[in-house]
Each structure stands twice: as C-alpha cells, then as structure tokens.
Coordinates of all heavy atoms in Angstrom, one line a residue:
Q1 N 2.5 6.8 -10.0 CA 3.1 7.3 -11.2 C 3.1 6.1 -12.2 O 3.1 5.0 -11.9 CB 4.6 7.7 -11.0 CG 4.8 9.0 -10.3 CD 6.3 9.3 -10.4 OE1 6.8 9.7 -11.4 NE2 7.0 9.1 -9.3
F2 N 3.1 6.5 -13.5 CA 3.2 5.4 -14.5 C 3.7 6.0 -15.8 O 3.8 7.2 -16.0 CB 1.8 4.8 -14.8 CG 0.7 5.7 -15.2 CD1 0.5 6.0 -16.6 CD2 -0.2 6.3 -14.3 CE1 -0.4 6.9 -17.0 CE2 -1.1 7.2 -14.7 CZ -1.3 7.5 -16.1
V3 N 4.1 5.1 -16.7 CA 4.5 5.4 -18.1 C 3.6 4.8 -19.1 O 3.2 3.6 -18.9 CB 6.0 4.9 -18.3 CG1 6.4 5.0 -19.8 CG2 7.0 5.7 -17.4
L4 N 3.2 5.6 -20.1 CA 2.4 5.0 -21.2 C 3.3 4.9 -22.4 O 3.9 5.9 -22.8 CB 1.2 5.9 -21.5 CG 0.1 6.0 -20.4 CD1 -1.0 6.9 -20.9 CD2 -0.6 4.7 -20.2
A5 N 3.4 3.7 -22.9 CA 4.2 3.5 -24.1 C 3.6 2.4 -24.9 O 3.2 1.3 -24.5 CB 5.6 3.0 -23.7
D6 N 3.4 2.7 -26.2 CA 2.8 1.8 -27.2 C 1.5 1.2 -26.7 O 1.2 0.1 -26.9 CB 3.8 0.7 -27.5 CG 5.1 1.2 -28.1 OD1 5.1 2.2 -28.8 OD2 6.2 0.6 -27.8
G7 N 0.7 2.1 -26.0 CA -0.6 1.7 -25.6 C -0.6 0.8 -24.3 O -1.7 0.3 -24.0
R8 N 0.5 0.7 -23.7 CA 0.6 0.0 -22.5 C 0.9 0.9 -21.3 O 1.7 1.8 -21.4 CB 1.6 -1.2 -22.6 CG 1.7 -2.1 -21.4 CD 2.6 -3.3 -21.6 NE 2.7 -4.1 -20.4 CZ 3.5 -5.1 -20.3 NH1 4.2 -5.5 -21.4 NH2 3.6 -5.8 -19.2
R9 N 0.4 0.5 -20.1 CA 0.6 1.3 -18.9 C 1.6 0.6 -18.1 O 1.4 -0.6 -17.7 CB -0.7 1.5 -18.1 CG -0.6 2.3 -16.8 CD -1.9 2.4 -16.2 NE -1.9 3.2 -15.0 CZ -1.5 2.9 -13.8 NH1 -1.1 1.7 -13.6 NH2 -1.6 3.7 -12.8
Y10 N 2.7 1.2 -17.7 CA 3.7 0.7 -16.8 C 3.8 1.5 -15.5 O 4.1 2.6 -15.5 CB 5.2 0.7 -17.5 CG 5.3 0.0 -18.8 CD1 5.0 0.6 -20.0 CD2 5.7 -1.3 -18.7 CE1 5.1 -0.1 -21.2 CE2 5.8 -2.1 -19.9 CZ 5.5 -1.5 -21.1 OH 5.7 -2.1 -22.3
G11 N 3.5 0.8 -14.4 CA 3.4 1.4 -13.1 C 4.8 1.7 -12.5 O 5.8 1.1 -13.0
H12 N 4.9 2.6 -11.5 CA 6.2 3.0 -10.9 C 6.7 2.0 -9.9 O 7.8 2.2 -9.5 CB 6.0 4.4 -10.3 CG 5.4 4.4 -8.9 ND1 4.1 3.9 -8.6 CD2 5.9 4.6 -7.7 CE1 3.8 4.0 -7.4 NE2 5.0 4.4 -6.8
V13 N 5.9 1.0 -9.5 CA 6.5 0.0 -8.5 C 7.2 -1.1 -9.3 O 6.6 -1.8 -10.0 CB 5.3 -0.6 -7.7 CG1 5.9 -1.6 -6.7 CG2 4.6 0.5 -6.9
L14 N 8.5 -1.1 -9.1 CA 9.3 -2.0 -9.9 C 9.6 -3.3 -9.2 O 9.9 -3.2 -7.9 CB 10.6 -1.3 -10.4 CG 10.4 0.0 -11.1 CD1 11.8 0.7 -11.4 CD2 9.7 -0.2 -12.4
D15 N 9.7 -4.4 -9.9 CA 10.2 -5.6 -9.3 C 11.8 -5.6 -9.4 O 12.3 -5.6 -10.5 CB 9.6 -6.8 -10.1 CG 10.0 -8.1 -9.4 OD1 11.0 -8.2 -8.7 OD2 9.3 -9.1 -9.6
P16 N 12.4 -5.5 -8.3 CA 13.9 -5.3 -8.3 C 14.6 -6.5 -8.9 O 15.8 -6.4 -9.3 CB 14.3 -5.1 -6.8 CG 13.1 -5.7 -6.0 CD 11.9 -5.5 -6.9
R17 N 13.9 -7.6 -9.0 CA 14.6 -8.9 -9.4 C 14.6 -8.9 -11.0 O 15.4 -9.6 -11.6 CB 13.9 -10.1 -8.9 CG 13.9 -10.1 -7.4 CD 12.9 -11.0 -6.8 NE 11.5 -10.7 -7.2 CZ 10.4 -11.2 -6.7 NH1 10.5 -12.2 -5.9 NH2 9.2 -10.8 -7.1
T18 N 13.6 -8.3 -11.6 CA 13.5 -8.2 -13.1 C 13.8 -6.9 -13.7 O 14.2 -6.8 -14.9 CB 12.1 -8.7 -13.5 OG1 11.2 -7.7 -13.1 CG2 11.8 -10.0 -12.9
G19 N 13.6 -5.8 -12.9 CA 13.7 -4.4 -13.5 C 12.5 -3.9 -14.2 O 12.5 -2.8 -14.6
W20 N 11.4 -4.7 -14.2 CA 10.2 -4.3 -14.9 C 9.1 -4.1 -13.8 O 9.2 -4.6 -12.7 CB 9.7 -5.4 -15.9 CG 10.7 -5.5 -17.0 CD1 11.8 -6.2 -17.1 CD2 10.5 -4.8 -18.3 NE1 12.4 -6.0 -18.4 CE2 11.6 -5.1 -19.1 CE3 9.5 -3.9 -18.8 CZ2 11.8 -4.7 -20.4 CZ3 9.7 -3.5 -20.1 CH2 10.8 -3.8 -20.8
P21 N 8.1 -3.2 -14.2 CA 7.1 -2.9 -13.2 C 6.3 -4.1 -12.8 O 6.0 -5.0 -13.6 CB 6.2 -1.9 -14.0 CG 7.1 -1.3 -15.1 CD 8.1 -2.4 -15.4
A22 N 5.9 -4.1 -11.6 CA 5.1 -5.2 -11.0 C 3.7 -5.1 -11.5 O 3.2 -4.0 -11.9 CB 5.1 -5.2 -9.5
S23 N 2.9 -6.2 -11.6 CA 1.5 -6.1 -12.0 C 0.7 -7.1 -11.2 O 1.3 -8.1 -10.7 CB 1.5 -6.3 -13.5 OG 1.9 -7.6 -13.8
G24 N -0.6 -7.0 -11.3 CA -1.5 -8.0 -10.7 C -2.1 -7.5 -9.4 O -3.2 -8.0 -9.0
V25 N -1.5 -6.6 -8.7 CA -2.0 -6.1 -7.4 C -2.2 -4.6 -7.4 O -1.2 -3.9 -7.7 CB -1.1 -6.6 -6.2 CG1 -1.6 -6.1 -4.9 CG2 -0.9 -8.1 -6.2
L26 N -3.4 -4.2 -7.1 CA -3.6 -2.8 -7.0 C -3.1 -2.1 -5.7 O -2.6 -1.0 -5.6 CB -5.1 -2.4 -7.1 CG -5.7 -2.5 -8.5 CD1 -7.2 -2.3 -8.4 CD2 -5.1 -1.4 -9.4
S27 N -3.3 -2.9 -4.6 CA -2.9 -2.4 -3.3 C -2.6 -3.5 -2.3 O -3.3 -4.5 -2.4 CB -4.0 -1.5 -2.8 OG -3.7 -1.0 -1.5
A28 N -1.6 -3.3 -1.5 CA -1.3 -4.3 -0.5 C -1.3 -3.7 0.9 O -0.6 -2.6 1.1 CB 0.1 -5.0 -0.8
T29 N -2.1 -4.2 1.8 CA -2.2 -3.7 3.2 C -1.7 -4.8 4.1 O -2.1 -5.9 4.0 CB -3.6 -3.4 3.5 OG1 -4.1 -2.3 2.7 CG2 -3.7 -2.9 5.0
V30 N -0.7 -4.4 5.0 CA -0.1 -5.4 5.9 C -0.3 -4.9 7.4 O -0.2 -3.8 7.7 CB 1.3 -5.6 5.6 CG1 2.0 -6.5 6.6 CG2 1.5 -6.1 4.2
I31 N -0.7 -5.8 8.2 CA -0.8 -5.6 9.7 C 0.3 -6.4 10.4 O 0.4 -7.6 10.2 CB -2.2 -5.9 10.2 CG1 -3.2 -5.1 9.4 CG2 -2.3 -5.6 11.7 CD1 -4.6 -5.7 9.6
A32 N 1.1 -5.8 11.2 CA 2.2 -6.5 11.9 C 2.4 -5.7 13.2 O 1.8 -4.7 13.5 CB 3.4 -6.5 11.1
R33 N 3.3 -6.3 14.1 CA 3.6 -5.7 15.3 C 4.4 -4.4 15.2 O 4.3 -3.5 16.0 CB 4.3 -6.7 16.3 CG 3.4 -7.7 16.8 CD 2.2 -7.2 17.6 NE 1.5 -8.3 18.3 CZ 0.4 -8.1 19.1 NH1 0.0 -6.9 19.3 NH2 -0.2 -9.1 19.6
R34 N 5.3 -4.3 14.2 CA 6.2 -3.2 14.0 C 5.8 -2.4 12.7 O 5.5 -3.1 11.7 CB 7.6 -3.7 13.9 CG 8.2 -4.3 15.2 CD 9.5 -4.9 15.0 NE 10.5 -3.9 14.6 CZ 11.8 -4.3 14.3 NH1 12.2 -5.5 14.3 NH2 12.7 -3.3 14.1
A35 N 5.8 -1.1 12.8 CA 5.4 -0.3 11.7 C 6.4 -0.5 10.5 O 6.1 -0.4 9.3 CB 5.3 1.1 12.1
S36 N 7.7 -0.6 10.9 CA 8.7 -0.8 9.8 C 8.5 -2.0 9.0 O 8.6 -2.0 7.8 CB 10.1 -0.7 10.5 OG 10.2 -1.7 11.5

C-alpha cells in the first residue's frame, strides 16, 4: 500500500520511531531457526 501526496510516494511500512514511512529497502528476507 502507499499514499501519493504532492508527487511523492509514501509506503505503508512505517518506522515506529519517527512515524514516517521507511525507505531505502524494497524487500527484506531473513533466515533464522524460528519462524517468529
């Protein structure tokens, strides 16, 4: 999901520390022992 405002795209993944959408990474894949 995203919002378009004033010619800028804001993604739905928010940085909880700033309240603004995160940027710079399209996708993050993690491998670990536990699925959670």
Side-chain angles (χ1 to χ4, degrees):
Q1 287 190 75
F2 60 86
V3 170
L4 291 177
D6 300 326
R8 183 175 176 182
R9 181 182 185 278
Y10 298 90
H12 80 292
V13 179
L14 304 175
D15 186 334
R17 300 162 300 186
T18 67
W20 288 86
S23 62
V25 179
L26 282 175
S27 181
T29 296
V30 176
I31 304 163
R33 290 298 191 179
R34 296 171 64 183
S36 52

